[in-house]
Amino acid sequence: MLKTPLNDTHKRLGARLVEFGGWEMPVMYRGINDEHVYTRTAASIFDVSHMGRLKFTGDDAEKFLDKVCTRNIAKVAVGKSAYSHVCNEQGCILDDVIVSRFKDHLYMVCNAGNREKIVAHLKKHIEGMKVKMEDLTTGTVMFAIQGPAVLPLFKEQSDKLPIKVPEIPRYGCFGGSYMGMGYTVFRSGYTGEDGFEFVLPAMAGVLVWDFFTKDGGPDRATIKPAGLGARDTLRLEAGMPLYGHELSEHVNSLAAGCKWCVDLNKDYVGSAALRKFDSDGLRFKMTGLALEGRRIARQGSKILSEGREVGEVTSGTLSPTLGKSIAMGYVETALSNSEAKLAVDVSGTPIPATVVGLPFYRRQ
Amino acid sequence: MAVLNDRRYLKSHEWHKLDGDICTIGITQFAADALTDVTYVSLPAAGKEVSAGKPFGEIESVKATSDLVSGVTGVVAEVNSKLNDSPDLVNSDPAGGLDDQGEALRQVRFRKAPVCRRL
């Protein structure tokens, strides 16, 4: 099992560590609910060093990524990041990634559990192209700082930092070097809150984590650590798909509700299949559901309509912000509307459910 | 974590405390911590029969749903109805101590509990 450079930090903070995507990761420190609420109301820091980080240089770097990504990478300007899928020839999802463009290179963040698969897939398509791909995952730390207090905090502390962090626009990125230490900052996250993600060399990253989590005094919001448990409930409220749940090699990018990141007018691995899905129509559609009561629908729970099985739940939780049982899942396209009377089979009990638009939660 | 000697345990972390012919069942602190924040507890109605070694209810948390297993055969005398509105009581006091009103936080009480040796 791989360990991030912050492993000892998590142990010191009393985290509960679990295996995730081949890494030993903190699932929680103080409690999932507590960390969730704190992220929605103040600021949390998440170790996301397990995420794969790949760097692409060379004349064909852009052309290469456009050959494997559903998103039009040529349109991504310097200093911007773009969410994309990487598909197989069938238009089904191998991974969901964020591609960012810097002055002299392109950068991809992929899922921890898919890193080896994606590296192998990319190597297969890289032949004959002038591209150098480097896997920077294990030598660096990546953490996300998320919550409504993050921007004010960085504005207030900006004189202490070498980078003008608050000036990075939404879905922007900025890379540079400070005292010989390379750094990368992204204005993105996976919680539905505003925030930043930092990539730093391993040693420096551990020290900067400590700097950010130091108590700033009674009148100042303190950044507290949060684990993958809260990250999961936060992203679910924000209606963001998770690989292995909403996204997999069994579903195509259009059914997953991600047409906005699919360019049907360029050619890449899976584009022909995706164009066919687009013209033929989709049998199932990614759908948000609100369930009656407090019971939680789990991945694999059947979605029913008048006793007939019409879909399957991919994620569910009791939303800490809304106090309601929410779920995402695939429902027959014809029934994926707010008039449909649906139910979810929770341990043999059909729980009435209604279709609701995603996201479940949107920040003010 | 202190082990309470006034009760007996199943390997699946349900505790059983015998008082006359009433056996009270709950889950251990270890199990409550492992489940994380409990969101729902499904318990049988009073009068329902339960069997030793068989599930009698379910406990749900953000992370997972687990069966509640009884170590005794008997008839349900009473369940802690407070868990309907406040399932988090399982996290705050799974050992069934006293709440702030001085009331016992019983999980489930069984009448007739002759099979305690199976615990």
Side-chain angles (χ1 to χ4, degrees), chain A residues 138-185:
Chain A
T138 50
T140 53
V141 159
M142 183 170 184
F143 51 74
I145 304 183
Q146 306 273 298
V150 172
L151 191 62
L153 204 61
F154 273 97
K155 279 185 175 160
E156 195 184 294
Q157 303 271 339
S158 63
D159 56 327
K160 291 185 193 158
L161 297 168
I163 327 159
K164 294 268 173 283
V165 173
E167 290 174 16
I168 300 169
R170 191 76 192 141
Y171 297 111
C173 58
F174 186 79
S177 177
Y178 177 68
M179 299 194 333
M181 180 189 85
Y183 61 81
T184 310
V185 190

Side-chain angles (χ1 to χ4, degrees), chain A residues 199-219:
Chain A
V199 179
L200 297 163
M203 288 285 280
V206 173
L207 296 173
V208 175
W209 168 293
D210 283 344
F211 170 76
F212 281 145
T213 51
K214 255 192 334 205
D215 197 335
D219 58 341

Side-chain angles (χ1 to χ4, degrees), chain A residues 3-52:
Chain A
K3 288 179 181 178
T4 82
L6 287 160
N7 192 269
D8 285 340
T9 306
H10 301 319
K11 284 180 180 156
R12 197 186 71 225
L13 292 166
R16 184 185 302 169
L17 297 165
V18 296
E19 192 275 335
F20 181 79
W23 294 76
E24 187 176 66
M25 297 302 294
V27 67
M28 57 173 252
Y29 302 83
R30 309 178 304 281
I32 293 171
N33 205 48
D34 183 349
E35 291 161 28
H36 180 114
V37 172
Y38 197 77
T39 311
R40 287 270 180 260
T41 52
S44 294
I45 185 165
F46 303 77
D47 181 10
V48 290
S49 306
H50 61 310
M51 304 288 285

Side-chain angles (χ1 to χ4, degrees), chain B residues 19 22-25 75-80 106-111:
Chain B
D19 179 18
I22 292 285
C23 181
T24 304
I25 298 183
V75 175
V76 177
E78 184 188 3
V79 297
N80 182 2
R106 289 176 227 89
Q107 313 297 331
V108 188
R109 307 190 87 190
F110 290 102
R111 223 182 307 133

Side-chain angles (χ1 to χ4, degrees), chain B residues 6 15 49 56 99 110:
Chain B
D6 60 347
W15 56 254
E49 288 183 26
F56 65 88
D99 68 10
F110 290 102

Side-chain angles (χ1 to χ4, degrees), chain A residues 212-319:
Chain A
F212 281 145
T213 51
K214 255 192 334 205
D215 197 335
D219 58 341
R220 198 173 284 168
T222 306
I223 302 170
K224 289 186 185 177
L228 293 185
R231 195 164 182 257
D232 186 37
T233 53
L234 288 158
R235 70 91 196 167
L236 183 48
E237 281 186 346
M240 293 166 159
L242 173 62
Y243 199 89
H245 287 254
E246 287 70 38
L247 312 179
S248 74
E249 289 177 42
H250 302 291
V251 296
N252 70 73
S253 299
L254 301 180
C258 297
K259 193 172 179 179
W260 61 275
C261 82
V262 174
D263 189 335
L264 293 169
N265 299 312
K266 66 162 194 165
D267 286 315
Y268 50 94
V269 181
S271 59
L274 287 166
R275 276 193 283 270
K276 189 160 165 36
F277 282 124
D278 189 51
S279 57
D280 290 356
L282 299 161
R283 235 190 109 204
F284 291 94
K285 213 175 132 190
M286 169 54 55
T287 304
L289 296 170
L291 279 71
E292 281 181 15
R294 293 181 58 90
R295 300 203 73 175
I296 296 174
R298 307 283 177 186
Q299 182 171 33
S301 297
K302 304 294 176 218
I303 301 169
L304 313 166
S305 172
E306 292 165 349
R308 188 172 66 88
E309 194 181 313
V310 297
E312 197 174 292
V313 169
T314 49
S315 298
T317 197
L318 186 72
S319 160

